Amino acid sequence: INGVALNYTAGLFGDPDSENKTEKTLGGFDITEAKGLITIAKEETIEVKEGSKENHTTTDEWEIMITFKNLEYDQNLNTGKSLTGKVLIQKEVLIQDKLLTDANQEKTTLYYHDAKLEGGAQDDSYRYAGSDTEVKNYVCLDGGVTTVGECANGDADLYRIIGLFQNVEGQYEMKLIKYDYATSTELGETGAYNTVYINTRNDDDTSNYKGNKSNLDNIDGYYWTNSTNEINEWAESDLRNENLNGYYLDTYLTREKNIDTDKLITTHTWSLNGYSTNVVTPKVAYYNEMNKIESSPDYPTQKKTVPDKIGLMYISDYGYAASPSSTNNWTTNLGNYNNDNVTINNWMYMGLSEWTISRYSTSPNVSFLVFNNGYICYFHVKNNSLGVRPSFYISSSAKIQSGDGSKESPYRIVVE
């Protein structure tokens, strides 16, 4: 498929010969390898006038023509091909459609991880990568407030889009991570809660913290599991059960923020196979996390999964958030992500030590974290309490109400 020519005709319903009828031709689009949404007409006005039959209806007629590429010598290669898609008119923009449109227009911070992307996940996902100033992927979840501008509650209600990932139906769901580290107001003071973050690890330098410095005293530390259980089984973790999928989901988001989490947040099957070293590239980490690599004596496949609404980021999420130019197309080992060039060019790096959901697969009591200087390492799950940033998947039917994705004007989304 080489291109599309579009003819647009608008006229009053039941009156094709009306003098108000207009016709115009829109430009062509090369859809040879296009995926996602192609915007044919943006902010198109459909005007309804009095006298246009009962209920003042108007009909728009669109003619869409697909032109196959002329192969010059043998057209048999054009036979047997198929095209799937849909044409839609919508008042509110599905958020994944907007993001996919940006990717289709070759925006440099949203990367399509198909088989052609060097070092990529090859899962047909779209992931944001680049520096904090480059990547405009902010979302405000402040309980339904839809006014344009900053979040009413500041950084506490800000989230960032990790990317778009296909669900089992092939639809794209948006994955978010909390912009700043959680406090006990959000996660509660039971379960895996320990104390204020800066008191949990005396050797943990907070000078790299990228958030509002006045918030440091509010950030709390949590164990990966709890204070008594030292097994890295996420299904048994108090952080998972009591704090993330308990207090944060039911009390903070649902009751305090008045967010319809049943509609907004999808239940996702989180894969927990993990890996056994931090000397690993994002791609190898991802393939092991998702159980895409055959079992071997050194790295046994365990096929661990849990169905949850709330989780944490994977180490592969963090790895792919760095600009490929700063990591040699993501061939840098995650254990070497403490390079200043990498941390500066990774929007997900926030400067404090924080847990990921990725477990150490060949040891029963350690899991991976992002250390305060940027590299991936592993700590004991009950002897260390660290920062936490909840992560979750948004329904594929989410729509944009306002915003441009910047921190000053984050996306406001709704699911009806």
Side-chain angles (χ1 to χ4, degrees), residues 92-104:
E92 294 171 315
V93 181
L94 291 174
I95 193 164
Q96 70 266 29
D97 286 345
K98 175 174 175 53
L99 301 184
L100 291 177
T101 299
D102 288 347
N104 203 44

Side-chain angles (χ1 to χ4, degrees), residues 198-364:
I198 58 177
N199 294 328
T200 62
R201 288 188 57 82
N202 294 327
D203 60 337
D204 207 0
D205 185 5
T206 60
S207 62
N208 294 330
Y209 175 55
K210 292 167 58 178
N212 188 333
K213 299 296 184 182
S214 64
N215 191 46
L216 267 174
D217 290 339
N218 300 320
I219 297 171
D220 291 290
Y222 290 81
Y223 300 108
W224 195 89
T225 174
N226 55 52
S227 60
T228 58
N229 185 352
E230 58 179 297
I231 300 176
N232 62 0
E233 293 288 347
W234 187 244
E236 301 177 16
S237 165
D238 282 352
L239 176 59
R240 175 228 177 188
N241 296 314
E242 291 192 36
N243 302 110
L244 293 174
N245 290 282
Y247 195 93
Y248 176 73
L249 179 64
D250 297 330
T251 299
Y252 182 71
L253 290 181
T254 303
R255 299 177 193 174
E256 294 187 17
K257 292 284 117 179
N258 195 32
I259 293 173
D260 191 342
T261 54
D262 288 336
K263 288 184 178 180
L264 183 69
I265 302 175
T266 63
T267 297
H268 183 79
T269 300
W270 300 76
S271 181
L272 302 166
N273 300 303
Y275 201 56
S276 59
T277 176
N278 63 339
V279 185
V280 58
T281 65
K283 181 177 180 179
V284 175
Y286 170 74
Y287 270 58
N288 279 271
E289 290 164 348
M290 299 298 136
N291 192 33
K292 292 178 177 287
I293 292 180
E294 293 296 327
S295 177
S296 70
D298 293 328
Y299 309 117
T301 300
Q302 300 181 48
K303 298 183 180 180
K304 294 178 179 290
T305 61
V306 293
D308 278 334
K309 282 185 175 289
I310 312 296
L312 302 173
M313 67 172 161
Y314 291 99
I315 60 174
S316 60
D317 289 335
Y318 176 75
Y320 280 129
S323 169
S325 62
S326 69
T327 57
N328 296 318
N329 292 320
W330 298 304
T331 59
T332 299
N333 287 325
L334 295 171
N336 295 325
Y337 264 45
N338 56 329
N339 183 298
D340 287 344
N341 184 45
V342 175
T343 56
I344 290 173
N345 290 285
N346 189 329
W347 64 266
M348 199 180 287
Y349 171 69
M350 280 294 289
L352 299 186
S353 295
E354 64 177 298
W355 287 118
T356 74
I357 201 171
S358 302
R359 52 187 292 280
Y360 197 95
S361 61
T362 56
S363 178

Side-chain angles (χ1 to χ4, degrees), residues 114-188:
D114 64 353
K116 299 178 181 179
L117 184 63
E118 186 176 356
Q122 298 183 353
D123 60 348
D124 289 328
S125 64
Y126 292 82
R127 302 168 186 251
Y128 280 101
S131 70
D132 184 62
T133 55
E134 292 175 317
V135 177
K136 292 180 172 57
N137 61 347
Y138 287 91
V139 173
C140 179
L141 298 180
D142 57 3
V145 178
T146 58
T147 55
V148 177
E150 296 182 353
C151 270
N153 196 30
D155 294 352
D157 293 330
L158 272 179
Y159 297 78
R160 302 194 74 170
I161 306 169
I162 295 176
L164 297 170
F165 300 83
Q166 287 183 310
N167 58 23
V168 293
E169 288 81 25
Q171 299 172 321
Y172 280 101
E173 293 181 342
M174 180 173 58
K175 187 178 184 182
L176 301 185
I177 186 171
K178 196 174 187 300
Y179 162 65
D180 208 348
Y181 303 98
T183 68
S184 59
T185 299
E186 297 149 343
L187 296 185

Side-chain angles (χ1 to χ4, degrees), residues 12 46-50 52 55-58:
L12 298 179
I46 301 175
E47 184 177 358
V48 179
K49 297 181 179 180
E50 293 185 11
S52 58
N55 297 327
H56 308 301
T57 59
T58 295

